[in-house]
Amino acid sequence: MSSTTGTRGESVTPANPAYGTVVDTTDVTALLERGRALSAPVLRAAVDRLAPPMDTVAAYHFGWIDAQGRPADGDGGKAVRPALALLSAEAAGAPAEAGIPGAVAVELVHNFSLLHDDLMDGDEQRRHRDTVWKVHGPAQAILVGDALFALANEILLELGTVEAGRAARRLTTATRKLIDGQAQDISYEHRERVTVEECLEMEGNKTGALLACAVSIGAVLGGADDRTADVLEAYGYHLGLAFQAVDDLLGIWGDPESTGKQTWSDLRQRKKSLPVVAALAAGGPASARLGELLAADAKSSDFDSFSEEEFAARAALIEEAGGREWTAQEARRQHTVAIEALNGVDMPEPVRAQLTALADFVVVRKR
Amino acid sequence: MSSTTGTRGESVTPANPAYGTVVDTTDVTALLERGRALSAPVLRAAVDRLAPPMDTVAAYHFGWIDAQGRPADGDGGKAVRPALALLSAEAAGAPAEAGIPGAVAVELVHNFSLLHDDLMDGDEQRRHRDTVWKVHGPAQAILVGDALFALANEILLELGTVEAGRAARRLTTATRKLIDGQAQDISYEHRERVTVEECLEMEGNKTGALLACAVSIGAVLGGADDRTADVLEAYGYHLGLAFQAVDDLLGIWGDPESTGKQTWSDLRQRKKSLPVVAALAAGGPASARLGELLAADAKSSDFDSFSEEEFAARAALIEEAGGREWTAQEARRQHTVAIEALNGVDMPEPVRAQLTALADFVVVRKR
């Protein structure tokens, strides 16, 4: 893996959890910026339709205002999905703009799931800020999540076209998988052992399905047939698995300054993420020792007051058992499968190059 | 108002909160039974699609199993909406069966809102049973609510027709209003005064919008044009307002044996329902005394241990100030407007008679 498509401006050279190499992400920055610029006004207009106080709560969630209602220049996230939805339209030979309602609908569903998942999981922080349920209470988190989900369907269905109906159906399928994934995630937290296969299935549902939808929805709105959309979804699904594998690495070894999460974040939440389940499945002394420790942790009443050193010791065992390296390899595997999937469909070469660059970006990001 | 369309079997003669007269509801019983019989298998099959444990949690919510997972012969509610959705198809000249996916989708949305509202409102009982969040925890109530909402869209959109897309759009609009209504309901609980107009707007959103959708969705699926669907929605919207006015009467003066709720249920929850806001708006000594009491109650730390007598005293003041009679009149007014709306559209006379009978039933029910 080396520098890919960047030609303009200065190189960004992030440390690379999956590859450990230097990648030029210049073009990706522009792609993400375009996705954000074209979708943000439509997203804001959609959220403005919400009745008070839901509009305010949603604006807080998106980072447009702070907890006191003052305008904020919030971190709206990486905006990978809007960028994919616009490229998706171009992959079908339509203008990027044809993908905008899809980009906005996918962002609305993504943020609906964040609002509800943060509440279900008891997560108090997201993107360096208190989560909605912490600031506005659980009822508003539920209600505004519901409203964003409904709004996603509204944005598509009000287009009134056959294509919009097909796009809404794909979004609904993806949302159902998203919900299945969250159900699995919750149930796994109460189980002592989760297999690598179960973990991958859960991550495919939680992350793969909506990324897959983002990469197909623009094409569907742009008039693509189902076969083209399915191929694009295959790319997006594996991209999502690569994305999540990197997320799982960052969830344990990420820099809190970059991720906006606590150190050892996923370990503190007892998440059975890929590095953990891979380490437990690996066998050998470190794997066995990790299994004993996590089993004891599950019963420990002191868990919430564990020191940095205690989490660091668990992270070291995961690494020693091979969970870190396996997960980095998995990210590379999924990245490769994603890019190969693109061969199944004709599309303008610049679009193919940009989808490839985005896939590269996903595995090298630091947050 | 007198006995309407009943011809078969024995008369059911409930006490009538809005009219105080005896109405034959025989035909309505058959109508409700048909709605239940045709939609229940499709509803069950839809819920069976949910991944574990969501299928079990949903089955508990619908009353198909008890908290231990044993089969139960649950009270699935009045099933007014499925009956309306089937009549709706017939109003458009289509067979009743054409309305089934609409009936199921509306029931799914209705139950999605019950799951979330019960959690947001802290309601521990529904239909004589512990609510889902009490039995399975808040996370499952959120998650399964989300899943039912997604399933509602799936059931419609997988039909893949233009009509299904139009039906899904109407359902989405209704769902947004439902959510708006819940937002208003929550915000009103924290306010000292709510106007009668605000209360009616909230009830139109919370109850009118989805009943309106139930009465139009079958017609849309059966090929009706938008004007016909709009007229049917007008009937359903006013029917919903009549329905809710009766609900508000039952929420204070209903028989706990019939309603499955505590005595003075809405007063215990400080609900600013129609009888309360009408009484507060009426003026006069009873109205003023009620206002003082409720204002004191809002600050009282003893509220949760209030005796039956204390709630009875408040109910008596509401009645004395005219809130009970005003609400009963409002139910009759909305009932009349609903039935008059039906004149705006051609439909087979038996269907018109049945829609009229259902409207009559809604204002005479005891639960």
Side-chain angles (χ1 to χ4, degrees):
Chain A
M1 195 71 220
S2 64
S3 173
T4 50
T5 60
T7 50
R8 284 172 292 176
E10 53 209 325
S11 274
V12 181
T13 57
N16 179 336
Y19 284 94
T21 59
V22 170
V23 172
D24 183 337
T25 58
T26 314
D27 269 2
V28 169
T29 305
L31 264 179
L32 296 175
E33 190 39 53
R34 180 183 75 162
R36 218 181 262 117
L38 289 183
S39 64
V42 183
L43 180 64
R44 286 211 183 209
V47 168
D48 277 346
R49 295 186 195 180
L50 298 179
M54 295 185 288
D55 52 351
T56 305
V57 175
Y60 172 78
H61 169 75
F62 282 105
W64 304 332
I65 58 173
D66 67 16
Q68 284 73 46
R70 294 172 301 216
D73 187 19
D75 170 6
K78 289 171 284 291
V80 170
R81 291 173 197 79
L84 287 172
L86 302 191
L87 278 174
S88 168
E90 292 180 311
E97 286 74 10
I100 292 175
V104 171
V106 167
E107 277 304 272
L108 288 167
V109 165
H110 174 57
N111 284 282
F112 137 71
S113 78
L114 296 182
L115 276 164
H116 283 189
D117 289 1
D118 283 344
L119 175 58
M120 287 185 249
D121 300 342
D123 288 346
E124 302 186 355
Q125 292 266 316
R126 171 170 300 279
R127 298 172 191 157
H128 306 259
R129 307 162 77 224
D130 284 346
T131 46
V132 163
W133 70 268
K134 279 290 286 180
V135 175
H136 294 281
Q140 290 300 325
I142 296 170
L143 197 61
V144 175
D146 293 344
L148 296 184
F149 184 11
L151 209 47
N153 288 308
E154 187 170 293
I155 291 290
L156 289 176
L157 293 169
E158 70 189 4
L159 297 173
T161 62
V162 174
E163 288 75 26
R166 288 173 56 220
R169 188 179 171 191
R170 282 185 184 262
L171 183 62
T172 297
T173 302
T175 308
R176 288 253 289 119
K177 288 187 184 165
L178 201 62
I179 294 166
D180 285 352
Q182 173 67 3
Q184 291 164 327
D185 202 6
I186 290 174
S187 82
Y188 293 171
E189 272 169 46
H190 300 109
R191 278 169 47 182
E192 202 170 311
R193 281 291 166 114
V194 174
T195 67
V196 171
E197 290 68 30
E198 287 173 325
C199 187
L200 287 172
E201 190 193 337
M202 181 266 282
E203 297 193 342
N205 282 329
K206 271 195 93 159
T207 310
L210 196 60
L211 271 180
C213 183
V215 195
S216 69
I217 200 166
V220 170
L221 291 172
D225 60 19
D226 278 338
R227 206 197 68 82
T228 301
D230 288 344
V231 167
L232 288 168
E233 287 210 351
Y235 158 85
Y237 181 79
H238 293 287
L239 183 69
L241 283 173
F243 186 99
Q244 190 56 50
V246 172
D247 235 38
D248 286 354
L249 292 170
L250 295 173
I252 299 178
W253 294 282
D255 175 3
E257 280 290 311
S258 298
T259 62
K261 296 175 179 171
Q262 283 184 288
T263 53
W264 323 114
S265 165
D266 285 356
L267 298 182
R268 291 177 196 277
Q269 292 182 70
R270 308 173 199 262
K271 273 206 182 150
K272 300 207 174 52
S273 64
L274 271 186
V276 177
V277 298
L280 290 173
S287 175
R289 176 79 191 115
L290 178 70
E292 289 161 16
L293 269 180
L294 296 186
D297 291 354
K299 294 170 196 143
S300 168
S301 55
D302 298 334
F303 186 80
D304 290 337
S305 56
F306 270 20
S307 66
E308 288 286 313
E309 287 67 30
E310 284 168 298
F311 289 116
R314 281 148 186 80
L317 280 172
I318 294 168
E319 189 159 359
E320 196 183 332
R324 185 175 189 172
E325 179 48 30
W326 187 90
T327 305
Q329 273 176 11
E330 176 66 10
R332 294 193 289 269
R333 274 192 297 273
Q334 297 293 349
H335 169 266
T336 303
V337 177
I339 289 173
E340 283 174 0
L342 291 178
N343 294 330
V345 66
D346 283 333
M347 68 178 78
E349 279 313 309
V351 177
R352 188 184 305 274
Q354 288 174 311
L355 287 172
T356 304
L358 257 177
D360 295 343
F361 165 76
V362 155
V363 289
V364 302
R365 70 203 164 81
K366 290 199 294 182
R367 63 174 201 130
Chain B
M1 195 73 224
S2 64
S3 172
T4 51
T5 60
T7 51
R8 285 171 290 175
E10 54 209 324
S11 274
V12 181
T13 57
N16 179 337
Y19 284 94
T21 60
V22 170
V23 172
D24 182 337
T25 58
T26 314
D27 268 3
V28 168
T29 305
L31 263 180
L32 296 176
E33 189 39 53
R34 180 184 74 161
R36 220 181 259 118
L38 289 182
S39 64
V42 183
L43 180 64
R44 286 210 184 210
V47 169
D48 277 346
R49 294 185 195 178
L50 298 180
M54 295 185 289
D55 52 350
T56 306
V57 175
Y60 172 78
H61 170 76
F62 282 106
W64 305 332
I65 57 172
D66 67 16
Q68 285 72 45
R70 294 172 301 216
D73 189 18
D75 170 7
K78 289 170 285 291
V80 170
R81 291 172 197 81
L84 287 171
L86 301 191
L87 280 174
S88 167
E90 293 179 310
E97 287 74 10
I100 293 176
V104 172
V106 167
E107 277 305 271
L108 288 168
V109 165
H110 174 56
N111 284 283
F112 137 71
S113 78
L114 296 182
L115 277 165
H116 283 189
D117 289 3
D118 283 344
L119 175 57
M120 285 186 251
D121 299 343
D123 288 346
E124 301 187 355
Q125 291 267 316
R126 170 171 299 278
R127 299 173 189 156
H128 306 260
R129 307 163 77 224
D130 284 345
T131 45
V132 163
W133 70 267
K134 279 290 286 181
V135 175
H136 294 281
Q140 291 298 327
I142 296 171
L143 197 60
V144 175
D146 293 345
L148 296 184
F149 183 11
L151 209 48
N153 288 309
E154 187 170 292
I155 291 290
L156 290 175
L157 292 169
E158 71 189 5
L159 298 173
T161 62
V162 174
E163 289 75 26
R166 289 171 57 219
R169 187 179 172 189
R170 282 185 186 262
L171 183 61
T172 297
T173 303
T175 308
R176 287 254 288 121
K177 287 187 183 165
L178 201 62
I179 295 166
D180 285 353
Q182 173 67 2
Q184 289 164 328
D185 202 5
I186 290 174
S187 83
Y188 293 172
E189 272 168 46
H190 301 110
R191 278 169 47 181
E192 202 169 315
R193 283 291 165 113
V194 175
T195 67
V196 170
E197 290 70 28
E198 286 172 327
C199 187
L200 287 172
E201 190 194 336
M202 182 266 282
E203 297 193 341
N205 282 331
K206 270 195 94 160
T207 310
L210 196 60
L211 271 180
C213 184
V215 195
S216 70
I217 200 166
V220 170
L221 291 172
D225 60 18
D226 278 336
R227 206 198 67 80
T228 301
D230 288 344
V231 167
L232 288 168
E233 288 210 351
Y235 158 85
Y237 181 80
H238 293 288
L239 182 68
L241 282 173
F243 186 99
Q244 190 56 50
V246 172
D247 234 40
D248 286 353
L249 292 170
L250 295 173
I252 299 178
W253 295 282
D255 175 3
E257 281 290 310
S258 298
T259 62
K261 296 176 178 172
Q262 282 185 288
T263 53
W264 323 115
S265 167
D266 285 358
L267 298 182
R268 291 178 196 275
Q269 292 182 70
R270 308 174 199 263
K271 272 206 185 153
K272 301 207 173 54
S273 66
L274 271 186
V276 178
V277 298
L280 291 173
S287 175
R289 176 79 190 114
L290 178 71
E292 289 160 17
L293 269 179
L294 296 186
D297 291 354
K299 294 171 196 141
S300 168
S301 55
D302 297 335
F303 187 81
D304 290 337
S305 55
F306 269 19
S307 67
E308 288 285 315
E309 287 67 30
E310 284 167 299
F311 290 116
R314 280 148 188 80
L317 281 172
I318 294 167
E319 190 159 0
E320 195 183 331
R324 184 175 190 171
E325 180 48 30
W326 187 90
T327 305
Q329 274 176 10
E330 175 66 10
R332 295 193 289 272
R333 275 192 296 272
Q334 297 294 349
H335 169 264
T336 303
V337 176
I339 288 173
E340 284 174 0
L342 291 178
N343 294 330
V345 65
D346 284 333
M347 67 177 79
E349 278 314 309
V351 178
R352 189 184 305 276
Q354 288 174 311
L355 287 172
T356 305
L358 257 178
D360 294 344
F361 165 78
V362 155
V363 290
V364 302
R365 70 202 164 82
K366 291 199 294 182
R367 63 173 201 128

